[in-house]
Amino acid sequence: MKFLEYTPLDRLNDFLSCVNFGERTIKGCLEAYSCKHTGTDKKLSLSLEHEILDYLGKSSDTDSSSPAEYLLSRSSRKTLIYLVLTLYHMYPDYDFSLVKAHQFFTEESWDSFKQIFETYMLEASREWIEANGGNSLLEALYKALDEVVRLSECEIYSYNPDSDVDPFLEKGSIWSFNFFFYNRKLKRVVSFRFCCISNLMADGFLDDLCYEDDGEIFDGMDM
């Protein structure tokens, strides 16, 4: 996998790096990658392939909507491996060995993504229009993604891991979403993660307040 630089994504990243609303901050980041393997990717790819095949060999689930049914397809396994490799490149210091990829990736439609985006990014969208005028934040995002990965040809996936294997979670996180836009023909993927963080928690204000409260309780007790 190779990181790709695109000006349309840079403009959005500049805006989404920190949209502060006082008590909370919304952040977002878009990254594009080529799916062509580098040296380390080949080893990781083989390891992931063995893990998936081992899972399939042990699985007795024949439900058509189950991960096992989906992974019987070689092309589906390949897609899954590309998505996990993208995670490795996004967070090179994070250990994804605990990630069971088939459990965490869900295929989405543009409409389902749009509904989540418009619901959770409403305030950020208003800020975008005030700062830039013209098109909405969603329209700007659509145009940028379409330029990089041709949305009409894309498969969209969301990544929903347990909290103990989620490198996206920051201290004070209120909510977070992680999407991948994958173009099989172009062999290119764009990751898009966006989250909302409590500024009080992130700054340690509530932790300090709780500590002070505990101190006041113990001050009046004989130890």
Side-chain angles (χ1 to χ4, degrees):
M1 308 285 285
K2 180 182 178 182
F3 177 76
L4 304 172
E5 294 186 14
Y6 286 98
T7 302
L9 301 185
D10 290 341
R11 181 181 178 222
L12 288 164
N13 283 332
D14 287 342
F15 172 76
L16 292 170
S17 62
C18 183
V19 188
N20 196 315
F21 295 100
E23 293 185 355
R24 64 196 179 283
T25 294
I26 289 177
K27 295 182 178 182
C29 184
L30 293 128
E31 294 183 6
Y33 292 90
S34 163
C35 294
K36 295 179 181 178
H37 284 353
T38 60
T40 55
D41 290 333
K42 294 178 181 178
K43 184 177 180 180
L44 284 171
S45 180
L46 284 173
S47 176
L48 290 166
E49 178 80 9
H50 289 319
E51 180 228 305
I52 294 171
L53 292 175
D54 183 58
Y55 166 77
L56 290 173
K58 295 176 181 177
S59 177
S60 59
D61 193 346
T62 57
D63 188 329
S64 61
S65 62
S66 74
E69 183 69 20
Y70 171 79
L71 294 171
L72 287 173
S73 163
R74 166 68 177 163
S75 63
S76 296
R77 294 199 301 274
K78 197 171 183 181
T79 298
L80 192 56
I81 288 170
Y82 283 145
L83 297 180
V84 178
L85 288 176
T86 302
L87 288 176
Y88 271 102
H89 283 270
M90 290 166 63
Y91 293 91
D93 297 327
Y94 191 86
D95 181 11
F96 285 96
S97 61
L98 295 178
V99 172
K100 302 301 181 185
H102 51 272
Q103 298 173 349
F104 300 132
F105 289 94
T106 305
E107 190 163 7
E108 306 282 355
S109 66
W110 173 259
D111 286 341
S112 61
F113 166 79
K114 178 181 175 182
Q115 184 175 6
I116 290 171
F117 185 90
E118 289 184 329
T119 299
Y120 287 88
M121 297 291 279
L122 178 62
E123 290 176 305
S125 297
R126 290 171 178 165
E127 286 290 314
W128 170 270
I129 290 175
E130 285 188 18
N132 298 281
N135 294 336
S136 69
L137 180 57
L138 180 64
E139 290 171 327
L141 175 65
Y142 184 99
K143 184 177 179 180
L145 287 171
D146 194 47
E147 184 172 336
V148 177
V149 283
R150 299 177 191 166
L151 276 177
S152 62
E153 300 175 3
C154 273
E155 299 164 22
I156 304 174
Y157 296 89
S158 61
Y159 176 63
N160 303 295
D162 297 330
S163 59
D164 58 341
V165 287
D166 187 357
F168 299 96
L169 287 181
E170 296 186 40
K171 184 177 181 181
S173 178
I174 299 172
W175 51 257
S176 67
F177 294 95
N178 317 288
F179 288 91
F180 296 86
F181 300 83
Y182 170 57
N183 187 310
R184 194 182 298 270
K185 294 180 181 178
L186 295 176
K187 291 189 176 181
R188 193 177 300 162
V189 59
V190 173
S191 69
F192 179 36
R193 55 195 185 277
F194 52 103
C195 65
C196 181
I197 299 168
S198 165
N199 292 337
L200 298 179
M201 284 292 291
D203 294 339
F205 176 79
L206 293 184
D207 291 340
D208 293 340
L209 187 62
C210 291
Y211 177 80
E212 290 172 4
D213 288 345
D214 289 343
E216 290 175 3
I217 292 172
F218 289 117
D219 284 344
M221 297 177 65
D222 293 330
M223 301 297 286

